Amino acid sequence: MPGPPDEPPSNGPAPTVSPHDSSHREQFGRYELATVLSHYELGRITSIRRFPRGSRRSPKVHITAGDGEFLLKRRAPGRDDPYRVAFAHAIQLHLGERGFPIADLIGTRVENNSLLQLEGRTYEMFRFCPGRHASRTASHARRAGELMGRMHRLLVDCRPTFDSPVGSYHDVPGAGATIRSLPDRILAREPDLDRAELRRTSAFLVEVYEEATEQVRVAGFRSFGREIIHGDYHPGNLLFRGEEIAALLDFDSARIEPRLVDVANGALQFAMEMTDPTDPRDWPDGLDGERIHAFVGGYDAGAGAALDDRELDALPWLMLEGLIMESVIPIANEGRFARIPGSAFLDMIARKAEWLAN
């Protein structure tokens, strides 16, 4: 791993850099880090520690300095378009001005810009927010649902200047072809597997995904109102202090879609049943119904406008679409899901998809 930057940042001496397991993760270059930090006024920097969280393609460091603790992030390729970043920042600033718990953006030294562009890369600086990730409990699920509802309510009158990204895991163009490609992608990494069995699993997921897509259409998805949503609402993006939420993180996927896209993903994520997070073969087949009800009930309370009957009809089918597409795309790209073998993750998804479909 790299040591201290070649040149010290202009606001302090060369900091110490602590090692972490950084395999398969993007890293800041030595000169890159020093150059980026020279654009911020943080006080005297005393340490910089790698912060290996979230996307492996988006490096982050935790900075301790005279003015406090900060988190520097380089946006991942594909999510670093400055207009897309500006859209997300407009949302965060809108929420922050209304007392919503987020990690504060830090402006650049000279122009007080919330994003920094250097040599084709895009950077963000946040005030570091301590806390613990959400637990998979009904109480945290309800709190998370309440916060999502409050967020949607506060964003009704948010009007970002820049166009938003669109699209979601619903009715993804070419979804069938993507799912059918999984056996080849997995076998490239796990060549001793049964190809016929993998094909049966992928064919089942195509069938279930297409059925879920049709059911969401029948429920009236196209007529649902579109609004600003978070786009990546899960326990890892919420920080708790006790039973209170300290911050909602990571607005990189913010977009304009029906609110149910957020609700379905949040309910799915908080209801996931798992044991050893590195071995999904032993995960239970189903989801936790109590947490689904807690999340949706919390959402209704926070939004001040409960999900209507059509949205409730679409909810389990949209959860099923999300379960499949949010899982198969990483496997289609890499042949695995993070560090989990693709075959094990695909088998788990098929079991949970069957449970949801029934």
Side-chain angles (χ1 to χ4, degrees):
M1 63 161 284
D6 289 332
E7 299 178 16
S10 60
N11 56 346
T16 60
V17 182
S18 295
H20 283 283
D21 176 11
S22 57
S23 58
H24 308 297
R25 284 189 171 272
E26 288 285 329
Q27 302 176 28
F28 286 104
R30 298 181 181 185
Y31 180 73
E32 174 193 15
L33 186 59
T35 302
V36 171
L37 289 176
S38 72
H39 288 265
Y40 293 92
E41 183 59 70
L42 308 178
R44 180 179 180 273
I45 295 176
T46 56
S47 72
I48 300 176
R49 299 176 182 272
R50 290 198 182 119
F51 196 77
R53 304 288 190 274
S55 170
R56 292 173 296 151
R57 303 171 69 207
S58 176
K60 305 172 187 70
V61 289
H62 175 202
I63 300 165
T64 303
D67 291 344
E69 295 181 72
F70 304 90
L71 185 75
L72 174 65
K73 169 181 174 179
R74 187 214 298 156
R75 281 273 189 142
R79 297 194 174 185
D80 56 353
D81 177 87
Y83 296 103
R84 178 172 180 163
V85 178
F87 174 81
H89 286 188
I91 295 168
Q92 291 166 270
L93 293 169
H94 180 92
L95 291 171
E97 289 167 359
R98 287 153 180 80
F100 188 88
I102 60 169
D104 293 333
L105 286 159
I106 305 299
T108 55
R109 175 189 310 218
V110 177
E111 298 181 342
N112 196 31
N113 286 332
S114 62
L115 64 89
L116 174 67
Q117 286 187 281
L118 291 174
E119 298 183 1
R121 291 171 164 176
T122 303
Y123 303 87
E124 302 165 290
M125 182 78 75
F126 300 91
R127 190 165 295 280
F128 186 80
C129 186
R132 300 172 64 93
H133 289 310
S135 64
R136 297 186 182 275
T137 62
S139 63
H140 276 198
R142 181 172 180 85
R143 292 281 188 179
E146 288 174 351
L147 190 75
M148 178 186 284
R150 181 184 167 199
M151 176 188 67
H152 287 172
R153 177 164 48 84
L154 290 175
L155 289 174
V156 166
D157 62 348
C158 180
R159 300 288 185 271
T161 304
F162 302 102
D163 292 339
S164 79
V166 294
S168 70
Y169 49 81
H170 168 63
D171 198 12
V172 175
T178 298
I179 298 170
R180 291 187 185 95
S181 74
L182 297 180
D184 289 339
R185 297 296 293 160
I186 292 171
L187 285 165
R189 287 186 174 272
E190 303 173 72
D192 296 331
L193 296 176
D194 185 333
R195 180 183 294 271
E197 180 62 28
L198 286 173
R199 285 179 172 169
R200 282 191 291 271
T201 301
S202 64
F204 167 73
L205 289 177
V206 170
E207 178 184 350
V208 172
Y209 182 80
E210 291 178 347
E211 172 66 13
T213 297
E214 180 59 24
Q215 292 297 331
V216 173
R217 287 177 185 153
V218 169
F221 185 84
R222 288 186 178 180
S223 66
F224 295 168
R226 298 170 73 247
E227 58 191 73
I228 296 172
I229 65 171
H230 182 272
D232 193 22
Y233 205 92
H234 61 74
N237 278 336
L238 287 164
L239 292 178
F240 276 75
R241 293 177 194 154
E243 288 298 305
E244 298 300 318
I245 298 177
L248 172 62
L249 309 174
D250 193 357
F251 285 76
D252 292 13
S253 298
R255 59 195 58 240
I256 293 181
E257 285 291 325
R259 64 177 183 167
L260 196 63
V261 170
D262 248 1
V263 177
N265 183 61
L268 171 69
Q269 296 284 353
F270 274 87
M272 286 291 285
E273 292 271 50
M274 60 182 69
T275 48
D276 180 354
T278 65
D279 188 0
R281 290 171 296 186
D282 294 330
W283 294 5
D285 294 347
L287 303 176
D288 189 299
E290 181 185 8
R291 280 182 257 149
I292 294 174
H293 286 292
F295 188 92
V296 174
Y299 179 84
D300 287 347
L307 298 178
D308 63 30
D309 289 342
R310 295 179 308 147
E311 289 174 309
L312 290 173
D313 287 343
L315 178 62
W317 297 105
L318 201 56
M319 290 172 64
L320 183 49
E321 286 188 277
L323 171 70
I324 294 172
M325 288 313 300
E326 297 289 344
S327 303
V328 303
I329 289 176
I331 299 174
N333 289 337
E334 302 286 343
R336 61 186 181 187
F337 191 93
R339 297 186 181 181
I340 300 173
S343 60
F345 208 84
L346 191 66
D347 175 72
M348 178 273 295
I349 293 302
R351 289 187 287 109
K352 289 188 182 293
E354 184 174 14
W355 182 91
L356 257 176
N358 295 323

